[in-house]
Amino acid sequence: MLLAIDTATNRSSIALHDGQTLRGEFSWESVNRHTVTLAPHINNLLAELGTSPAELSAIAVCKGPGSYTGVRIGVALAKGMALTQQLPLIGITTLDILVAAQPPDPRPLYAILAVGRKRIGYARYRYQDADGWQAETKLDIVEWAQLPGRIREPAIVVGEISTQGLALLATLKEQVQVPAPAYHLRRAGFLAELAWVKLRAGQVGAPALLVPLYAR
Amino acid sequence: MTIRILGIETSCDETAISVVEDGVHILSNVIASQFEIHAQYGGIYPEMASRAHIKAIVPVAKQALCQAHLGWQDLTAIAVTYGPGLPGSLLTGLNFAKGAALSCDLPLIPVNHLEGHLYAHWLQTGVAGAADGRLEFPLLALIVSGGHTELILMREHGNYEYLGGTLDDAAGEAFDKVARMLELGYPGGPAIEESAQQGNPRAFNLPRAWLPGTYDFSFSGLKTAVLRTLKRQLGPRSPRQTADMAASFQASVVEVLAEKTIQAAQEYETSAILLSGGVSANMALRRAARARTSVPVYALPPVLCTDNGAMIAAAGTWRYQAGVRADWELDIEPGLSWA
């Protein structure tokens, strides 16, 4: 059983995944309250599914980028759990979790995350039949007003899109498709699936070695 | 039954974890100092402190258990500092502690960092001048460090009265700032103390903020006076002048700290005086306090003066015995004071 934890931004999510089945998942909005909400939700999810930390075989965590504080909360708690149970700890990046949930499409996908101070981080992904969505660009940090000018072909924009962002994207009309709200959520179920792929490939690290990714 | 508590302290710039048995025996006391990271800034850079904590916490925890020859299953509880301190630093230790406690099904004990500094005096050190737990209430404590300068009356376990504290800079902060003015390096406390040994404490007439009728302190005027005096000096400063200024500055800080601490101990008729915090490692402060009173003045070995996990485990043991347990909702309290 793998426990997945994502508190990288104000959108938080946890999941339990046994490698075949996503046994449970909980996503919630938590504005600067991750320290208060995370441990109780993990405790509740484990209890709800009748399992315990002793039955876990791996921990996966979103290692950023995102809010520095948010990322560190998830990583610190994950390190505490992984170290004490001698479990492998797998780190996955924020936008990889988001794009893993998006259906295939020939258009490029702009994946967005909030990085604080009204700025966003984004990267452009393209779908490849064999490997799914693959990043074409590195993460770039911009203000919302700068993003429309960077989209030069019909595209999908997904992720943490503010009201201001939605209004700006609307100026691009049909050139940009913004999916329905559920697609914007980073779900820990997908984090768990990415982590299982790494776990099966033997790409796992010790808890001491995982370092958060800082956008700046 | 033996109580073994793991104490986690990450409130500022030390990642520190320790195992303490029965609140008194230190089985391990591991500290990863961020001294080199912050030395280049001449003070604590909060974001860098947080980044260093998240890197160091697992190796430090492993070493603490390894040196104690214990596994996680041998622990009774996990005690953790939840305030006061830097938010990013505190939350790294607290969330790590929650993960560990949740995972091992151990009680989580919330500890006030300042309370930890008092309970360091219950630890067995075997060092001359330390209390090693031979204490009777009421006690008067001076907590003096880079972040705090406070006088606390401790009437019994868990019962504290704040008598006074700094109105501006902490004493340790003043040491750091003056050390920077004198180009003596960081951290300023040991640098100034060393330089002062070669200097004349009466060479410069620096002010002392007595703030009569209170147990409060102020060091910003002193700091400004040092700066003004240095600016008035013409030409390059000689090593002699640097040492004289270090000695004069130290004498001013130490005199006020010692005098007011003794006054408070007399007023409240305490059985002893406890010196805690990084600045309490200063030998001139210890001498000044001891010279002014017949009441025992207890001080700690340097490693227990500065932030450490053993003091958190010691305070955590008393809280554990008093039945204190944290909920999983426990949040950091960066501005936590005395309850």
Side-chain angles (χ1 to χ4, degrees):
Chain A
M1 187 83 79
L2 180 144
L3 171 67
I5 301 169
D6 179 352
T7 56
T9 66
N10 289 340
R11 313 310 306 254
S12 302
S13 187
I14 53 174
L16 275 168
H17 194 308
D18 64 14
Q20 294 206 315
T21 308
L22 177 59
R23 300 278 306 281
E25 185 186 55
F26 182 66
S27 300
W28 73 104
E29 195 172 65
S30 174
V31 181
N32 302 328
R33 274 174 57 81
H34 296 312
T35 294
V36 178
T37 58
L38 178 60
H41 285 320
I42 290 175
N43 197 41
N44 292 346
L45 186 64
L46 288 166
E48 190 70 39
L49 296 172
T51 186
S52 74
E55 290 175 60
L56 296 174
S57 52
I59 310 272
V61 66
C62 175
K63 64 178 179 180
S67 134
Y68 293 169
T69 298
V71 171
R72 275 195 288 265
I73 288 167
V75 171
L77 192 133
K79 283 189 175 199
M81 290 192 79
L83 175 68
T84 50
Q85 295 292 327
Q86 293 180 296
L87 303 177
L89 180 60
I90 300 131
I92 304 285
T93 67
T94 318
L95 293 182
D96 284 352
I97 301 166
L98 174 67
V99 302
Q102 308 307 320
D105 198 287
R107 289 170 292 179
L109 180 82
Y110 287 78
I112 313 284
L113 71 101
V115 295
R117 295 180 193 158
K118 297 190 174 170
R119 306 217 295 172
I120 54 165
Y122 80 92
R124 191 175 71 224
Y125 286 75
R126 205 172 285 272
Y127 196 83
Q128 278 150 17
D129 288 337
D131 307 307
W133 290 102
Q134 296 294 314
E136 282 190 325
T137 64
K138 283 187 178 165
L139 183 86
D140 209 349
I141 308 283
V142 294
E143 287 180 13
W144 259 113
Q146 293 171 270
L147 188 70
R150 302 202 177 188
I151 301 175
R152 298 200 175 85
E153 59 185 309
I156 301 167
V157 180
V158 72
E160 288 169 287
I161 303 174
S162 64
T163 314
Q164 182 207 3
L166 265 181
L168 284 160
L169 291 171
T171 62
L172 296 175
K173 302 209 164 67
E174 298 84 53
Q175 199 188 337
V176 163
Q177 186 205 332
V178 178
Y183 288 99
H184 302 296
L185 194 64
R186 261 190 347 269
R187 291 175 46 193
F190 288 97
L191 163 58
E193 306 223 313
L194 294 169
W196 269 112
V197 171
K198 285 201 165 190
L199 197 60
R200 290 190 178 114
Q203 297 166 356
V204 295
L209 301 176
L210 185 75
V211 179
L213 280 180
Y214 299 101
R216 290 180 291 268
Chain B
M1 203 189 87
T2 309
I3 299 173
R4 291 195 190 98
I5 300 223
L6 183 90
I8 302 179
E9 155 62 35
T10 64
S11 69
C12 191
D13 62 336
E14 321 273 10
T15 314
I17 303 184
S18 161
V19 182
V20 169
E21 200 168 81
D22 295 327
V24 296
H25 302 294
I26 302 175
L27 303 187
S28 65
N29 190 26
V30 181
I31 301 168
S33 171
Q34 303 175 5
F35 160 73
E36 285 173 13
I37 296 166
H38 303 292
Q40 56 187 310
Y41 304 108
I44 313 286
Y45 189 148
E47 174 61 21
M48 292 301 142
S50 306
R51 291 184 182 193
H53 284 306
I54 196 98
K55 267 191 187 171
I57 197 143
V58 166
V60 170
K62 275 175 137 171
Q63 211 182 329
L65 282 168
C66 179
Q67 284 181 11
H69 304 291
L70 295 173
W72 291 93
Q73 73 284 353
D74 301 316
L75 298 172
T76 311
I78 296 177
V80 62
T81 304
Y82 70 107
L86 300 170
S89 293
L90 287 167
L91 66 84
T92 304
L94 175 55
N95 284 289
F96 176 82
K98 283 188 184 184
L102 184 67
S103 201
C104 300
D105 199 19
L106 288 171
L108 182 68
I109 317 296
V111 173
N112 178 330
H113 173 83
L114 296 167
E115 200 176 11
H117 275 302
L118 302 187
Y119 277 95
H121 290 275
W122 271 266
L123 292 164
Q124 296 292 314
T125 67
V127 165
D132 287 5
R134 293 182 300 266
L135 292 166
E136 279 176 40
F137 296 113
L139 297 162
L140 191 274
L142 171 68
I143 301 176
V144 59
S145 68
H148 306 279
T149 306
E150 329 200 323
L151 281 169
I152 304 299
L153 177 64
M154 189 175 180
R155 289 205 172 86
E156 54 188 279
H157 286 298
N159 180 325
Y160 316 100
E161 186 180 337
Y162 173 91
L163 302 180
T166 185
L167 304 176
D168 39 60
D169 290 351
E173 209 178 336
F175 269 94
D176 282 343
K177 287 175 179 170
V178 169
R180 198 159 17 162
M181 292 177 206
L182 294 172
E183 297 164 83
L184 289 172
Y186 174 88
I192 286 194
E193 185 175 7
E194 196 190 333
S195 175
Q197 284 172 3
Q198 315 299 322
N200 172 8
R202 281 181 289 275
F204 295 97
N205 187 19
L206 296 172
R208 281 134 176 81
W210 291 111
L211 308 179
T214 74
Y215 288 117
D216 289 332
F217 301 95
S218 167
F219 299 104
S220 70
L222 169 61
K223 189 185 65 190
T224 311
V226 172
L227 188 63
R228 278 211 200 101
T229 311
L230 292 176
K231 277 188 175 160
R232 272 203 302 272
Q233 289 178 337
L234 297 170
R237 195 169 52 244
S238 70
R240 174 86 228 170
Q241 284 172 316
T242 298
D244 282 348
M245 182 52 88
S248 302
F249 164 78
Q250 178 176 271
S252 170
V253 175
V254 157
E255 218 179 286
V256 177
L257 287 175
E259 191 63 39
K260 299 197 88 158
T261 302
I262 305 307
Q263 277 174 20
Q266 281 167 352
E267 180 181 342
Y268 293 95
E269 297 176 344
T270 64
S271 74
I273 292 167
L274 310 177
L275 301 182
S276 291
V279 177
S280 75
N282 185 294
M283 296 309 285
L285 173 63
R286 296 180 181 194
R287 280 194 301 270
R290 285 174 179 145
R292 282 171 166 80
T293 179
S294 55
V295 169
V297 176
Y298 295 118
L300 297 157
V303 71
L304 296 178
C305 290
T306 46
D307 295 348
N308 62 86
M311 69 183 199
I312 302 306
T317 307
W318 288 109
R319 294 197 135 209
Y320 174 80
Q321 289 172 320
V324 177
R325 305 287 183 273
D327 292 332
W328 294 124
E329 286 87 0
L330 178 67
D331 200 359
I332 57 165
E333 288 191 38
L336 183 65
S337 181
W338 299 95

